[in-house]
Amino acid sequence: MAAAQGRLSDGADGMDDTKEGDRNGGGTPPLPFRAAVDALRTARLRPQIEIEPAPAPKRLAPFAYALEATVVDGDQDLADGRLVLLYEPDGHDAWRGAFRLVTLVRAELEPEMAADPLLPDVCWSWLTGALQARSLSYGEASGTVTRASSHYFGGLAERPAASQIEIRASWTPREGLGGVPDTASHLASWCDLLAQVAGLPPAGPGDASVVTLPQRRDPQAR
């Protein structure tokens, strides 16, 4: 797998550039949402993952909070992603709950890896497997796995062909005490997914849940 290029900057899945808060502006977020966000802000993650707050969408739910992350190994960016926490105080019929997590994860692949017909199924299993490995309860999972290839011509003909994998997904985290889901553990599972897509080894000697891609070849420096 080659290094991921650039940072997330598109408006995918309604993830446009707005601030955390409600649709009408100026409202105080409800306690369950504030507690869920606080857990995201204080979660401890593996050191290879650099994470920071990002603009949150305003049209998907009354309240939203977003994070962006990059998997870094030395001076290489291996993968990047965005995780958005949505909150609908009155509940959402399609979500079957008040909270929803939405994600976009992507990384570049070696062409032969991208050609593997089983790759989309494997990538989706990484998401569900990461949640199950931490014994997290969730529902209504849905998403897409997309492979894209770029070939260069003319003045760009010297560039090698590039392939990218992209995972877009959403799921409903089950709520615990006070109607608040364990967002810190869901964030840790999401980081496990990022690490798998990036090709990192397991976080610890006892962590057999991480099945990595083959080692990268000729990684690009950021």
PDB file of all heavy atoms in Angstrom, residues 167-208:
ATOM      1  N   ILE A 167     -13.721   3.641   1.993  1.00  0.00           N
ATOM      2  CA  ILE A 167     -14.805   3.035   2.757  1.00  0.00           C
ATOM      3  C   ILE A 167     -15.688   4.140   3.313  1.00  0.00           C
ATOM      4  O   ILE A 167     -15.211   5.009   4.044  1.00  0.00           O
ATOM      5  CB  ILE A 167     -14.262   2.172   3.919  1.00  0.00           C
ATOM      6  CG1 ILE A 167     -13.298   1.111   3.408  1.00  0.00           C
ATOM      7  CG2 ILE A 167     -15.414   1.529   4.691  1.00  0.00           C
ATOM      8  CD1 ILE A 167     -12.556   0.386   4.520  1.00  0.00           C
ATOM      9  N   ARG A 168     -16.954   4.117   2.938  1.00  0.00           N
ATOM     10  CA  ARG A 168     -17.951   5.025   3.504  1.00  0.00           C
ATOM     11  C   ARG A 168     -18.961   4.175   4.262  1.00  0.00           C
ATOM     12  O   ARG A 168     -19.488   3.217   3.691  1.00  0.00           O
ATOM     13  CB  ARG A 168     -18.652   5.827   2.408  1.00  0.00           C
ATOM     14  CG  ARG A 168     -17.740   6.782   1.650  1.00  0.00           C
ATOM     15  CD  ARG A 168     -18.477   7.417   0.476  1.00  0.00           C
ATOM     16  NE  ARG A 168     -17.607   8.275  -0.302  1.00  0.00           N
ATOM     17  CZ  ARG A 168     -17.542   9.597  -0.175  1.00  0.00           C
ATOM     18  NH1 ARG A 168     -18.310  10.194   0.729  1.00  0.00           N
ATOM     19  NH2 ARG A 168     -16.721  10.314  -0.910  1.00  0.00           N
ATOM     20  N   ALA A 169     -19.213   4.527   5.493  1.00  0.00           N
ATOM     21  CA  ALA A 169     -20.097   3.683   6.301  1.00  0.00           C
ATOM     22  C   ALA A 169     -20.767   4.503   7.389  1.00  0.00           C
ATOM     23  O   ALA A 169     -20.321   5.596   7.742  1.00  0.00           O
ATOM     24  CB  ALA A 169     -19.303   2.532   6.924  1.00  0.00           C
ATOM     25  N   SER A 170     -21.851   3.945   7.916  1.00  0.00           N
ATOM     26  CA  SER A 170     -22.515   4.541   9.072  1.00  0.00           C
ATOM     27  C   SER A 170     -23.154   3.433   9.886  1.00  0.00           C
ATOM     28  O   SER A 170     -23.503   2.376   9.359  1.00  0.00           O
ATOM     29  CB  SER A 170     -23.558   5.572   8.637  1.00  0.00           C
ATOM     30  OG  SER A 170     -24.580   4.968   7.866  1.00  0.00           O
ATOM     31  N   TRP A 171     -23.277   3.681  11.177  1.00  0.00           N
ATOM     32  CA  TRP A 171     -23.903   2.697  12.062  1.00  0.00           C
ATOM     33  C   TRP A 171     -24.441   3.414  13.294  1.00  0.00           C
ATOM     34  O   TRP A 171     -24.055   4.543  13.612  1.00  0.00           O
ATOM     35  CB  TRP A 171     -22.921   1.586  12.459  1.00  0.00           C
ATOM     36  CG  TRP A 171     -21.754   2.032  13.298  1.00  0.00           C
ATOM     37  CD1 TRP A 171     -21.644   2.010  14.660  1.00  0.00           C
ATOM     38  CD2 TRP A 171     -20.513   2.569  12.817  1.00  0.00           C
ATOM     39  NE1 TRP A 171     -20.427   2.491  15.062  1.00  0.00           N
ATOM     40  CE2 TRP A 171     -19.709   2.832  13.964  1.00  0.00           C
ATOM     41  CE3 TRP A 171     -19.994   2.839  11.551  1.00  0.00           C
ATOM     42  CZ2 TRP A 171     -18.423   3.369  13.850  1.00  0.00           C
ATOM     43  CZ3 TRP A 171     -18.718   3.373  11.439  1.00  0.00           C
ATOM     44  CH2 TRP A 171     -17.938   3.627  12.576  1.00  0.00           C
ATOM     45  N   THR A 172     -25.361   2.752  13.990  1.00  0.00           N
ATOM     46  CA  THR A 172     -25.988   3.307  15.180  1.00  0.00           C
ATOM     47  C   THR A 172     -25.371   2.671  16.424  1.00  0.00           C
ATOM     48  O   THR A 172     -25.554   1.467  16.667  1.00  0.00           O
ATOM     49  CB  THR A 172     -27.503   3.031  15.171  1.00  0.00           C
ATOM     50  OG1 THR A 172     -28.072   3.679  14.032  1.00  0.00           O
ATOM     51  CG2 THR A 172     -28.166   3.558  16.437  1.00  0.00           C
ATOM     52  N   PRO A 173     -24.622   3.445  17.219  1.00  0.00           N
ATOM     53  CA  PRO A 173     -24.074   2.896  18.456  1.00  0.00           C
ATOM     54  C   PRO A 173     -25.163   2.747  19.506  1.00  0.00           C
ATOM     55  O   PRO A 173     -25.981   3.656  19.693  1.00  0.00           O
ATOM     56  CB  PRO A 173     -23.033   3.945  18.877  1.00  0.00           C
ATOM     57  CG  PRO A 173     -23.565   5.225  18.313  1.00  0.00           C
ATOM     58  CD  PRO A 173     -24.267   4.864  17.028  1.00  0.00           C
ATOM     59  N   ARG A 174     -25.214   1.599  20.152  1.00  0.00           N
ATOM     60  CA  ARG A 174     -26.241   1.387  21.166  1.00  0.00           C
ATOM     61  C   ARG A 174     -25.971   2.266  22.384  1.00  0.00           C
ATOM     62  O   ARG A 174     -24.833   2.408  22.823  1.00  0.00           O
ATOM     63  CB  ARG A 174     -26.299  -0.088  21.565  1.00  0.00           C
ATOM     64  CG  ARG A 174     -26.772  -0.992  20.443  1.00  0.00           C
ATOM     65  CD  ARG A 174     -28.105  -0.538  19.870  1.00  0.00           C
ATOM     66  NE  ARG A 174     -28.595  -1.410  18.807  1.00  0.00           N
ATOM     67  CZ  ARG A 174     -29.358  -1.007  17.800  1.00  0.00           C
ATOM     68  NH1 ARG A 174     -29.706   0.267  17.705  1.00  0.00           N
ATOM     69  NH2 ARG A 174     -29.773  -1.858  16.890  1.00  0.00           N
ATOM     70  N   GLU A 175     -27.039   2.840  22.925  1.00  0.00           N
ATOM     71  CA  GLU A 175     -26.905   3.776  24.037  1.00  0.00           C
ATOM     72  C   GLU A 175     -26.824   3.041  25.364  1.00  0.00           C
ATOM     73  O   GLU A 175     -27.461   1.999  25.555  1.00  0.00           O
ATOM     74  CB  GLU A 175     -28.088   4.744  24.017  1.00  0.00           C
ATOM     75  CG  GLU A 175     -28.152   5.567  22.733  1.00  0.00           C
ATOM     76  CD  GLU A 175     -29.509   6.187  22.486  1.00  0.00           C
ATOM     77  OE1 GLU A 175     -30.304   6.240  23.452  1.00  0.00           O
ATOM     78  OE2 GLU A 175     -29.781   6.597  21.339  1.00  0.00           O
ATOM     79  N   GLY A 176     -26.029   3.604  26.262  1.00  0.00           N
ATOM     80  CA  GLY A 176     -25.860   3.029  27.586  1.00  0.00           C
ATOM     81  C   GLY A 176     -26.555   3.875  28.643  1.00  0.00           C
ATOM     82  O   GLY A 176     -27.630   4.426  28.410  1.00  0.00           O
ATOM     83  N   LEU A 177     -25.913   4.010  29.808  1.00  0.00           N
ATOM     84  CA  LEU A 177     -26.488   4.775  30.903  1.00  0.00           C
ATOM     85  C   LEU A 177     -26.670   6.231  30.486  1.00  0.00           C
ATOM     86  O   LEU A 177     -25.797   6.831  29.859  1.00  0.00           O
ATOM     87  CB  LEU A 177     -25.578   4.695  32.129  1.00  0.00           C
ATOM     88  CG  LEU A 177     -25.438   3.311  32.784  1.00  0.00           C
ATOM     89  CD1 LEU A 177     -24.450   3.362  33.929  1.00  0.00           C
ATOM     90  CD2 LEU A 177     -26.805   2.834  33.274  1.00  0.00           C
ATOM     91  N   GLY A 178     -27.816   6.783  30.833  1.00  0.00           N
ATOM     92  CA  GLY A 178     -28.090   8.165  30.496  1.00  0.00           C
ATOM     93  C   GLY A 178     -28.341   8.400  29.024  1.00  0.00           C
ATOM     94  O   GLY A 178     -28.337   9.550  28.565  1.00  0.00           O
ATOM     95  N   GLY A 179     -28.543   7.324  28.268  1.00  0.00           N
ATOM     96  CA  GLY A 179     -28.772   7.464  26.843  1.00  0.00           C
ATOM     97  C   GLY A 179     -27.536   7.834  26.052  1.00  0.00           C
ATOM     98  O   GLY A 179     -27.643   8.369  24.942  1.00  0.00           O
ATOM     99  N   VAL A 180     -26.347   7.537  26.595  1.00  0.00           N
ATOM    100  CA  VAL A 180     -25.078   7.912  25.946  1.00  0.00           C
ATOM    101  C   VAL A 180     -24.339   6.657  25.497  1.00  0.00           C
ATOM    102  O   VAL A 180     -24.078   5.765  26.306  1.00  0.00           O
ATOM    103  CB  VAL A 180     -24.187   8.714  26.917  1.00  0.00           C
ATOM    104  CG1 VAL A 180     -22.888   9.129  26.214  1.00  0.00           C
ATOM    105  CG2 VAL A 180     -24.928   9.932  27.440  1.00  0.00           C
ATOM    106  N   PRO A 181     -23.973   6.554  24.231  1.00  0.00           N
ATOM    107  CA  PRO A 181     -23.190   5.400  23.773  1.00  0.00           C
ATOM    108  C   PRO A 181     -21.727   5.531  24.198  1.00  0.00           C
ATOM    109  O   PRO A 181     -21.269   6.620  24.567  1.00  0.00           O
ATOM    110  CB  PRO A 181     -23.324   5.472  22.248  1.00  0.00           C
ATOM    111  CG  PRO A 181     -23.524   6.930  21.966  1.00  0.00           C
ATOM    112  CD  PRO A 181     -24.313   7.469  23.131  1.00  0.00           C
ATOM    113  N   ASP A 182     -21.017   4.426  24.139  1.00  0.00           N
ATOM    114  CA  ASP A 182     -19.585   4.409  24.481  1.00  0.00           C
ATOM    115  C   ASP A 182     -18.792   4.904  23.274  1.00  0.00           C
ATOM    116  O   ASP A 182     -18.167   4.130  22.556  1.00  0.00           O
ATOM    117  CB  ASP A 182     -19.169   2.989  24.869  1.00  0.00           C
ATOM    118  CG  ASP A 182     -17.732   2.920  25.365  1.00  0.00           C
ATOM    119  OD1 ASP A 182     -17.045   3.959  25.364  1.00  0.00           O
ATOM    120  OD2 ASP A 182     -17.287   1.807  25.720  1.00  0.00           O
ATOM    121  N   THR A 183     -18.826   6.215  23.064  1.00  0.00           N
ATOM    122  CA  THR A 183     -18.198   6.769  21.864  1.00  0.00           C
ATOM    123  C   THR A 183     -16.678   6.615  21.871  1.00  0.00           C
ATOM    124  O   THR A 183     -16.070   6.507  20.806  1.00  0.00           O
ATOM    125  CB  THR A 183     -18.566   8.251  21.699  1.00  0.00           C
ATOM    126  OG1 THR A 183     -18.318   8.955  22.926  1.00  0.00           O
ATOM    127  CG2 THR A 183     -20.037   8.402  21.321  1.00  0.00           C
ATOM    128  N   ALA A 184     -16.059   6.594  23.050  1.00  0.00           N
ATOM    129  CA  ALA A 184     -14.609   6.412  23.104  1.00  0.00           C
ATOM    130  C   ALA A 184     -14.214   5.059  22.525  1.00  0.00           C
ATOM    131  O   ALA A 184     -13.237   4.953  21.770  1.00  0.00           O
ATOM    132  CB  ALA A 184     -14.106   6.555  24.538  1.00  0.00           C
ATOM    133  N   SER A 185     -14.968   4.014  22.846  1.00  0.00           N
ATOM    134  CA  SER A 185     -14.659   2.686  22.318  1.00  0.00           C
ATOM    135  C   SER A 185     -14.969   2.599  20.827  1.00  0.00           C
ATOM    136  O   SER A 185     -14.262   1.935  20.071  1.00  0.00           O
ATOM    137  CB  SER A 185     -15.444   1.618  23.084  1.00  0.00           C
ATOM    138  OG  SER A 185     -15.000   1.527  24.417  1.00  0.00           O
ATOM    139  N   HIS A 186     -16.026   3.282  20.392  1.00  0.00           N
ATOM    140  CA  HIS A 186     -16.317   3.303  18.961  1.00  0.00           C
ATOM    141  C   HIS A 186     -15.211   4.034  18.199  1.00  0.00           C
ATOM    142  O   HIS A 186     -14.835   3.616  17.096  1.00  0.00           O
ATOM    143  CB  HIS A 186     -17.669   3.966  18.703  1.00  0.00           C
ATOM    144  CG  HIS A 186     -18.834   3.055  18.945  1.00  0.00           C
ATOM    145  ND1 HIS A 186     -19.357   2.232  17.962  1.00  0.00           N
ATOM    146  CD2 HIS A 186     -19.564   2.816  20.060  1.00  0.00           C
ATOM    147  CE1 HIS A 186     -20.366   1.532  18.467  1.00  0.00           C
ATOM    148  NE2 HIS A 186     -20.516   1.870  19.736  1.00  0.00           N
ATOM    149  N   LEU A 187     -14.675   5.092  18.795  1.00  0.00           N
ATOM    150  CA  LEU A 187     -13.556   5.787  18.171  1.00  0.00           C
ATOM    151  C   LEU A 187     -12.327   4.885  18.107  1.00  0.00           C
ATOM    152  O   LEU A 187     -11.626   4.848  17.087  1.00  0.00           O
ATOM    153  CB  LEU A 187     -13.233   7.061  18.958  1.00  0.00           C
ATOM    154  CG  LEU A 187     -11.996   7.840  18.503  1.00  0.00           C
ATOM    155  CD1 LEU A 187     -12.115   8.277  17.049  1.00  0.00           C
ATOM    156  CD2 LEU A 187     -11.764   9.048  19.426  1.00  0.00           C
ATOM    157  N   ALA A 188     -12.067   4.142  19.169  1.00  0.00           N
ATOM    158  CA  ALA A 188     -10.928   3.222  19.164  1.00  0.00           C
ATOM    159  C   ALA A 188     -11.105   2.153  18.088  1.00  0.00           C
ATOM    160  O   ALA A 188     -10.133   1.788  17.403  1.00  0.00           O
ATOM    161  CB  ALA A 188     -10.779   2.576  20.539  1.00  0.00           C
ATOM    162  N   SER A 189     -12.323   1.642  17.914  1.00  0.00           N
ATOM    163  CA  SER A 189     -12.580   0.665  16.862  1.00  0.00           C
ATOM    164  C   SER A 189     -12.364   1.273  15.478  1.00  0.00           C
ATOM    165  O   SER A 189     -11.813   0.631  14.579  1.00  0.00           O
ATOM    166  CB  SER A 189     -14.016   0.126  16.972  1.00  0.00           C
ATOM    167  OG  SER A 189     -14.180  -0.629  18.137  1.00  0.00           O
ATOM    168  N   TRP A 190     -12.805   2.506  15.318  1.00  0.00           N
ATOM    169  CA  TRP A 190     -12.596   3.193  14.046  1.00  0.00           C
ATOM    170  C   TRP A 190     -11.101   3.363  13.761  1.00  0.00           C
ATOM    171  O   TRP A 190     -10.653   3.198  12.630  1.00  0.00           O
ATOM    172  CB  TRP A 190     -13.298   4.546  14.084  1.00  0.00           C
ATOM    173  CG  TRP A 190     -13.162   5.341  12.824  1.00  0.00           C
ATOM    174  CD1 TRP A 190     -13.724   5.073  11.607  1.00  0.00           C
ATOM    175  CD2 TRP A 190     -12.427   6.559  12.662  1.00  0.00           C
ATOM    176  NE1 TRP A 190     -13.380   6.047  10.694  1.00  0.00           N
ATOM    177  CE2 TRP A 190     -12.594   6.970  11.318  1.00  0.00           C
ATOM    178  CE3 TRP A 190     -11.657   7.340  13.526  1.00  0.00           C
ATOM    179  CZ2 TRP A 190     -12.006   8.135  10.814  1.00  0.00           C
ATOM    180  CZ3 TRP A 190     -11.073   8.502  13.033  1.00  0.00           C
ATOM    181  CH2 TRP A 190     -11.248   8.883  11.696  1.00  0.00           C
ATOM    182  N   CYS A 191     -10.336   3.661  14.794  1.00  0.00           N
ATOM    183  CA  CYS A 191      -8.888   3.771  14.621  1.00  0.00           C
ATOM    184  C   CYS A 191      -8.269   2.411  14.290  1.00  0.00           C
ATOM    185  O   CYS A 191      -7.273   2.337  13.553  1.00  0.00           O
ATOM    186  CB  CYS A 191      -8.252   4.365  15.870  1.00  0.00           C
ATOM    187  SG  CYS A 191      -8.606   6.136  16.082  1.00  0.00           S
ATOM    188  N   ASP A 192      -8.834   1.333  14.827  1.00  0.00           N
ATOM    189  CA  ASP A 192      -8.387  -0.002  14.434  1.00  0.00           C
ATOM    190  C   ASP A 192      -8.597  -0.219  12.940  1.00  0.00           C
ATOM    191  O   ASP A 192      -7.747  -0.786  12.249  1.00  0.00           O
ATOM    192  CB  ASP A 192      -9.144  -1.075  15.223  1.00  0.00           C
ATOM    193  CG  ASP A 192      -8.805  -1.086  16.699  1.00  0.00           C
ATOM    194  OD1 ASP A 192      -7.757  -0.537  17.071  1.00  0.00           O
ATOM    195  OD2 ASP A 192      -9.602  -1.637  17.488  1.00  0.00           O
ATOM    196  N   LEU A 193      -9.748   0.233  12.439  1.00  0.00           N
ATOM    197  CA  LEU A 193     -10.018   0.137  11.004  1.00  0.00           C
ATOM    198  C   LEU A 193      -9.000   0.941  10.205  1.00  0.00           C
ATOM    199  O   LEU A 193      -8.455   0.457   9.207  1.00  0.00           O
ATOM    200  CB  LEU A 193     -11.432   0.639  10.710  1.00  0.00           C
ATOM    201  CG  LEU A 193     -11.795   0.833   9.235  1.00  0.00           C
ATOM    202  CD1 LEU A 193     -11.791  -0.495   8.491  1.00  0.00           C
ATOM    203  CD2 LEU A 193     -13.147   1.532   9.096  1.00  0.00           C
ATOM    204  N   LEU A 194      -8.721   2.162  10.638  1.00  0.00           N
ATOM    205  CA  LEU A 194      -7.721   2.984   9.954  1.00  0.00           C
ATOM    206  C   LEU A 194      -6.366   2.279   9.922  1.00  0.00           C
ATOM    207  O   LEU A 194      -5.671   2.282   8.903  1.00  0.00           O
ATOM    208  CB  LEU A 194      -7.575   4.322  10.671  1.00  0.00           C
ATOM    209  CG  LEU A 194      -8.524   5.449  10.289  1.00  0.00           C
ATOM    210  CD1 LEU A 194      -8.338   6.629  11.244  1.00  0.00           C
ATOM    211  CD2 LEU A 194      -8.286   5.906   8.858  1.00  0.00           C
ATOM    212  N   ALA A 195      -5.988   1.688  11.045  1.00  0.00           N
ATOM    213  CA  ALA A 195      -4.702   1.003  11.109  1.00  0.00           C
ATOM    214  C   ALA A 195      -4.659  -0.179  10.150  1.00  0.00           C
ATOM    215  O   ALA A 195      -3.628  -0.431   9.499  1.00  0.00           O
ATOM    216  CB  ALA A 195      -4.436   0.536  12.540  1.00  0.00           C
ATOM    217  N   GLN A 196      -5.751  -0.916  10.041  1.00  0.00           N
ATOM    218  CA  GLN A 196      -5.792  -2.046   9.121  1.00  0.00           C
ATOM    219  C   GLN A 196      -5.670  -1.581   7.685  1.00  0.00           C
ATOM    220  O   GLN A 196      -4.922  -2.154   6.891  1.00  0.00           O
ATOM    221  CB  GLN A 196      -7.086  -2.828   9.324  1.00  0.00           C
ATOM    222  CG  GLN A 196      -7.119  -3.611  10.618  1.00  0.00           C
ATOM    223  CD  GLN A 196      -8.454  -4.285  10.833  1.00  0.00           C
ATOM    224  OE1 GLN A 196      -9.447  -3.631  11.110  1.00  0.00           O
ATOM    225  NE2 GLN A 196      -8.485  -5.589  10.700  1.00  0.00           N
ATOM    226  N   VAL A 197      -6.414  -0.551   7.328  1.00  0.00           N
ATOM    227  CA  VAL A 197      -6.350  -0.035   5.964  1.00  0.00           C
ATOM    228  C   VAL A 197      -4.956   0.483   5.654  1.00  0.00           C
ATOM    229  O   VAL A 197      -4.464   0.361   4.529  1.00  0.00           O
ATOM    230  CB  VAL A 197      -7.411   1.068   5.772  1.00  0.00           C
ATOM    231  CG1 VAL A 197      -7.242   1.774   4.439  1.00  0.00           C
ATOM    232  CG2 VAL A 197      -8.812   0.476   5.860  1.00  0.00           C
ATOM    233  N   ALA A 198      -4.292   1.062   6.652  1.00  0.00           N
ATOM    234  CA  ALA A 198      -2.946   1.595   6.458  1.00  0.00           C
ATOM    235  C   ALA A 198      -1.882   0.515   6.398  1.00  0.00           C
ATOM    236  O   ALA A 198      -0.749   0.779   6.002  1.00  0.00           O
ATOM    237  CB  ALA A 198      -2.618   2.574   7.577  1.00  0.00           C
ATOM    238  N   GLY A 199      -2.227  -0.701   6.820  1.00  0.00           N
ATOM    239  CA  GLY A 199      -1.251  -1.780   6.803  1.00  0.00           C
ATOM    240  C   GLY A 199      -0.371  -1.838   8.029  1.00  0.00           C
ATOM    241  O   GLY A 199       0.705  -2.447   7.999  1.00  0.00           O
ATOM    242  N   LEU A 200      -0.795  -1.208   9.132  1.00  0.00           N
ATOM    243  CA  LEU A 200      -0.006  -1.253  10.357  1.00  0.00           C
ATOM    244  C   LEU A 200      -0.129  -2.616  11.023  1.00  0.00           C
ATOM    245  O   LEU A 200      -1.150  -3.292  10.888  1.00  0.00           O
ATOM    246  CB  LEU A 200      -0.478  -0.180  11.338  1.00  0.00           C
ATOM    247  CG  LEU A 200      -0.245   1.280  10.961  1.00  0.00           C
ATOM    248  CD1 LEU A 200      -0.708   2.173  12.109  1.00  0.00           C
ATOM    249  CD2 LEU A 200       1.213   1.545  10.637  1.00  0.00           C
ATOM    250  N   PRO A 201       0.881  -3.013  11.773  1.00  0.00           N
ATOM    251  CA  PRO A 201       0.776  -4.267  12.532  1.00  0.00           C
ATOM    252  C   PRO A 201      -0.205  -4.100  13.685  1.00  0.00           C
ATOM    253  O   PRO A 201      -0.590  -2.971  14.024  1.00  0.00           O
ATOM    254  CB  PRO A 201       2.211  -4.484  13.049  1.00  0.00           C
ATOM    255  CG  PRO A 201       2.797  -3.111  13.098  1.00  0.00           C
ATOM    256  CD  PRO A 201       2.192  -2.365  11.941  1.00  0.00           C
ATOM    257  N   PRO A 202      -0.632  -5.205  14.310  1.00  0.00           N
ATOM    258  CA  PRO A 202      -1.545  -5.106  15.453  1.00  0.00           C
ATOM    259  C   PRO A 202      -0.996  -4.201  16.534  1.00  0.00           C
ATOM    260  O   PRO A 202       0.220  -4.051  16.696  1.00  0.00           O
ATOM    261  CB  PRO A 202      -1.669  -6.550  15.928  1.00  0.00           C
ATOM    262  CG  PRO A 202      -1.371  -7.368  14.708  1.00  0.00           C
ATOM    263  CD  PRO A 202      -0.326  -6.596  13.951  1.00  0.00           C
ATOM    264  N   ALA A 203      -1.900  -3.584  17.306  1.00  0.00           N
ATOM    265  CA  ALA A 203      -1.491  -2.643  18.342  1.00  0.00           C
ATOM    266  C   ALA A 203      -0.723  -3.331  19.463  1.00  0.00           C
ATOM    267  O   ALA A 203       0.124  -2.721  20.111  1.00  0.00           O
ATOM    268  CB  ALA A 203      -2.712  -1.933  18.908  1.00  0.00           C
ATOM    269  N   GLY A 204      -0.988  -4.608  19.717  1.00  0.00           N
ATOM    270  CA  GLY A 204      -0.325  -5.319  20.788  1.00  0.00           C
ATOM    271  C   GLY A 204      -0.134  -6.777  20.445  1.00  0.00           C
ATOM    272  O   GLY A 204      -0.781  -7.296  19.537  1.00  0.00           O
ATOM    273  N   PRO A 205       0.745  -7.502  21.181  1.00  0.00           N
ATOM    274  CA  PRO A 205       1.004  -8.902  20.847  1.00  0.00           C
ATOM    275  C   PRO A 205      -0.204  -9.803  20.976  1.00  0.00           C
ATOM    276  O   PRO A 205      -0.303 -10.819  20.314  1.00  0.00           O
ATOM    277  CB  PRO A 205       2.108  -9.296  21.852  1.00  0.00           C
ATOM    278  CG  PRO A 205       1.981  -8.302  22.970  1.00  0.00           C
ATOM    279  CD  PRO A 205       1.531  -7.033  22.323  1.00  0.00           C
ATOM    280  N   GLY A 206      -1.181  -9.402  21.797  1.00  0.00           N
ATOM    281  CA  GLY A 206      -2.364 -10.234  21.971  1.00  0.00           C
ATOM    282  C   GLY A 206      -3.512  -9.856  21.078  1.00  0.00           C
ATOM    283  O   GLY A 206      -4.588 -10.459  21.162  1.00  0.00           O
ATOM    284  N   ASP A 207      -3.326  -8.851  20.229  1.00  0.00           N
ATOM    285  CA  ASP A 207      -4.412  -8.383  19.379  1.00  0.00           C
ATOM    286  C   ASP A 207      -4.370  -9.119  18.057  1.00  0.00           C
ATOM    287  O   ASP A 207      -3.655  -8.741  17.142  1.00  0.00           O
ATOM    288  CB  ASP A 207      -4.273  -6.872  19.154  1.00  0.00           C
ATOM    289  CG  ASP A 207      -5.450  -6.295  18.387  1.00  0.00           C
ATOM    290  OD1 ASP A 207      -6.335  -7.084  17.994  1.00  0.00           O
ATOM    291  OD2 ASP A 207      -5.490  -5.080  18.192  1.00  0.00           O
ATOM    292  N   ALA A 208      -5.144 -10.180  17.956  1.00  0.00           N
ATOM    293  CA  ALA A 208      -5.175 -10.981  16.724  1.00  0.00           C
ATOM    294  C   ALA A 208      -6.296 -10.559  15.802  1.00  0.00           C
ATOM    295  O   ALA A 208      -6.498 -11.156  14.749  1.00  0.00           O
ATOM    296  CB  ALA A 208      -5.330 -12.463  17.074  1.00  0.00           C
TER     297      ALA A 208
END
